[in-house]
Amino acid sequence: MAPAPGRRLPPPGLLVFLGYAFLILGIIGVSLRWVVDQAISAPLSIPGIVAMVLLAYTIFTITMVLQRKQAARGLALGLSTLTVPAVPLLLLGPVPVTAVVPALLGIVLLLGLTRPSVKAYLVEE
């Protein structure tokens, strides 16, 4: 089935980003029970604040990408930088080889989001 006239599929870089963003939402959803348990004992906690800010930022960025706004590109690049601190943390962990996954994901996201096709797709102001 062909896409409707005037609509086209997002570039591969944006599709990879959307998969990454929904993965972040899934991870936040799984960890939400732990955040709520912490909130019972202390109304303000650093992990709780970080989780809520990350949740809001991720949802806002996904919304901007789906609306094809120009600002979405910068927000998506910002969200993709979450892979950077994961690499040294995993390198210091018990299985340092696992650091390859976020490193490759970060490279793919950076290369995908900086392509001209992404800039051309995100055209609404």
Side-chain angles (χ1 to χ4, degrees):
M1 189 163 142
R7 299 196 62 140
R8 56 184 183 158
L9 288 175
L14 275 181
L15 292 175
V16 170
F17 168 76
L18 287 172
Y20 167 71
F22 283 112
L23 176 69
I24 291 174
L25 287 180
I27 292 169
I28 292 172
V30 168
S31 69
L32 209 52
R33 176 68 185 165
W34 176 72
V35 171
V36 169
D37 287 342
Q38 276 196 332
I40 292 170
S41 61
L44 286 177
S45 67
I46 298 298
I49 292 170
V50 169
M52 293 303 112
V53 168
L54 182 59
L55 179 65
Y57 186 79
T58 304
I59 291 172
F60 184 69
T61 304
I62 290 172
T63 303
M64 295 287 281
V65 167
L66 293 176
Q67 292 177 355
R68 298 176 62 173
K69 302 289 184 185
Q70 287 179 354
R73 189 166 175 253
L75 292 169
L77 282 168
L79 192 59
S80 67
T81 61
L82 287 178
T83 59
V84 173
V87 173
L89 287 174
L90 289 172
L91 281 174
L92 297 173
V95 186
V97 174
T98 57
V100 171
V101 174
L104 288 176
L105 180 60
I107 291 169
V108 168
L109 284 169
L110 179 67
L111 293 176
L113 290 172
T114 55
R115 296 189 54 88
S117 60
V118 171
K119 190 173 185 177
Y121 183 80
L122 300 172
V123 292
E124 291 202 15
E125 291 185 33

